Amino acid sequence: MDKMRMESVDMTEKNIDKIGELFPNCITETVDEKGKLKKAINFELLKQMLSDEVIDGDEAYEFTWVGKKASIVEANKPIRKTLRPCKEESVNWDTTENLYIEGDNLEVLKLLQESYLGKVKMIYIDPPYNTGNDFIYNDDFKMSNEEYADESGEFDDDGNRMFKNTDSNGRFHSDWCSMINSRLLLARNLLSDDGVIFISIDHNEVGNLKKCCDEVFGETNRLAIISTINNLKGRSDDKFFATCNEFLIVYAKNIFDASTRGFKLDDEELEKDYDKEDEISPYKLIGFRKTGSGWERANRPFMFYPVLCKNNNFSTIPNDEFNRIYNERTNSFDDSYVEWLIKKYESLDYKVVLPTNENGEFGRWRWGRDTFNEQKDINLEFNNAGTLCTKMRATLEDGSIRMKTAKTLWYKPEYDTGTGSKVVKSLFKNSSDIFSNPKSLMYIIDILKISSSKDDIILDFFSGSATVAHATMKLNQLDNGNRKFIMVQLPEKTNEKSEAYKAGYVNICEIGKERIRRAAKKIHEDNSDARFDDGFRVLKLDDTNMNDVYYGADEYDQNLISMLESNIKSDRTDLDLLFGCLLEWGLSLSMPYSSEKIEGYTVHNYNDGDLIACFDENVPDSVIKEIAKKQPLRAVFRDSSFADSPSKINVTEIFKLMSPDTRVKVI
């Protein structure tokens, strides 16, 4: 029976294994700080393996900064932390699939590596812009309060999580790059193969952020750098140019798998070029003949065929006639046969239409014959000029209106900086300055529209006022979606002189959670028939559930021995232990679960047998057998669940006999 690790995955170890699969000769061994052997990489040999000539010299095209290597090490370093459930602050705990996680986002991202590896479709973050006044995360957890205070004059009770990165700091850009780089490295692992990340940033770090993302995601996976007009009047205090925009940087996990949508056409665009007088069209008509690049029939020969129309009904020729038009073996067209077909069907009172341009040259249609036969009755018609057209609405599978590709310049009045504040003020009954400069709700909704489907997972690990959670619920209400959100936010204290503090919100997390509650209520009030997930599970980052047992022999005394009677901290509940196990086993944190009493012992069943746990002491064989009868995929107990070693061995034998596929562990 294996012992549970109870710490986040060691990303360095995993990366070494991946390199070993490609270059086994580059794997060597070294001694760690405790004198134990561990796998390592021979970097000089690896560099040579990737070069077709002898490597000499130090020059290379690269992007670097002070602390870059340390940020990579920090991203890969495992931690002994956990996420503790907080049911009393949650909404619809038993049924919701949404998560709100409080804690340092670097550590939280590490803990999510197993449970959400490759599962997140869209990440949006609005990190500190590094204007010289923004607080950024300090990842040197070993710094003392005195050292920290000397450096910045700012620290919190939890031990130096943030500092003000002023432009007088000699590492002004380096500190910011280190902060964002380690988080992006971990975030990339969470993205699905077709996933996309959106990052808001201003001009101060847009260049460095682009270079960081080029390294983390790959330059070829950059989808766009979008300029977003968020203050049309411009900032009045700017000296040379009044800044009226910020940037939205977009990268794919893999550009070949990435999927993005466009925006729906508005009414003006839909009515444009519609030829019927005095009639408002719910769609836009476009010519059925392909125009622009690739219009020639030789490019897509199977999209060249006669369209037949009689009594406003559309059809085309049968297969045997179609196969005579184009000879695939000789790659040639029989135009004389085409002429014969025209005469034949015109004699039968059909209108015969072929894809020809102004010069009478043969081209091709937009659809092949299969799509034609599926769509012809509802999505083809002649306009007033007698041109055969298709309706844009029906070119999408779900019947929705055709999209226009998103451009790299975004402006809508709703994107203005002030609109985000207005939404928050209205939710909090017009209280001023509950949260400064939140993102526009419509802006985030539009990002979600083009980047997510109805069942996707959305992540924001700089959650702030939880605009992304609000937008996710609103879009789910609009399109009957079931998107799930994961919000991560450090519980930064609010200024005691601020309106937020006076209103009772002692940290930003309290604002974010309350906004989600109020936003859900408002959506229901405005839409009485709305059906969407309006809850969230609150989880809080904390130290490991396990007692620290790493003591030298000379450190033990009677008091310490009494502390170590249990390997689990005394303040931890069954629910704490259960969620710690979910993290280690890589299970989603939002699945349903139940508990029951078996002979007086509490048995937890997570997601109908994905994991069954019992954390009571001295669990008898009869209860173990009842658990084994359920044939769970995983089962977990605590060390003290068994009276002695023979009892523990007996548990293993029971599962081998009754549920051999169950993986059994202890904590």
Side-chain angles (χ1 to χ4, degrees), residues 356-386:
T356 56
N357 64 11
E358 308 79 44
N359 300 321
E361 298 169 314
F362 287 133
R364 68 175 181 85
W365 298 122
R366 293 181 179 273
W367 298 341
R369 289 200 309 152
D370 288 343
T371 304
F372 170 87
N373 288 321
E374 292 172 1
Q375 302 288 340
K376 60 186 175 64
D377 295 331
I378 56 174
N379 294 309
L380 279 181
E381 65 178 71
F382 291 103
N383 64 12
N384 285 354

Side-chain angles (χ1 to χ4, degrees), residues 46-168:
L46 179 61
K47 284 190 289 185
Q48 191 61 69
M49 287 293 295
L50 298 174
S51 175
D52 59 359
E53 57 186 37
V54 175
I55 296 175
D56 188 24
D58 298 322
E59 292 184 349
Y61 176 77
E62 61 181 346
F63 171 55
T64 191
W65 64 89
V66 177
K68 180 179 181 179
K69 292 180 180 178
S71 73
I72 297 171
V73 171
E74 184 60 51
N76 292 330
K77 189 185 299 180
I79 56 172
R80 289 179 59 80
K81 296 288 183 85
T82 191
L83 296 178
R84 299 181 66 185
C86 187
K87 291 184 71 171
E88 60 273 16
E89 296 180 23
S90 305
V91 176
N92 302 333
W93 172 273
D94 290 333
T95 58
T96 185
E97 295 184 82
N98 299 319
L99 299 177
Y100 189 97
I101 305 176
E102 296 186 25
D104 182 285
N105 55 15
L106 180 65
E107 295 181 320
V108 172
L109 288 171
K110 290 183 180 184
L111 291 175
L112 297 181
Q113 290 297 298
E114 295 282 355
S115 296
Y116 292 93
L117 182 69
K119 295 180 181 178
V120 176
K121 178 59 181 298
M122 194 277 275
I123 297 174
Y124 171 81
I125 56 172
D126 184 19
Y129 283 3
N130 206 25
T131 63
N133 293 307
D134 293 295
F135 285 87
I136 68 170
Y137 289 67
N138 172 48
D139 297 328
D140 184 3
F141 303 124
K142 296 179 181 178
M143 187 182 293
S144 70
N145 282 351
E146 292 75 16
E147 292 172 319
Y148 191 83
D150 288 342
E151 178 177 333
S152 66
E154 297 284 349
F155 59 89
D156 62 25
D157 292 340
D158 294 327
N160 315 316
R161 287 295 185 270
M162 304 191 77
F163 70 97
K164 183 174 283 190
N165 191 34
T166 63
D167 51 14
S168 61

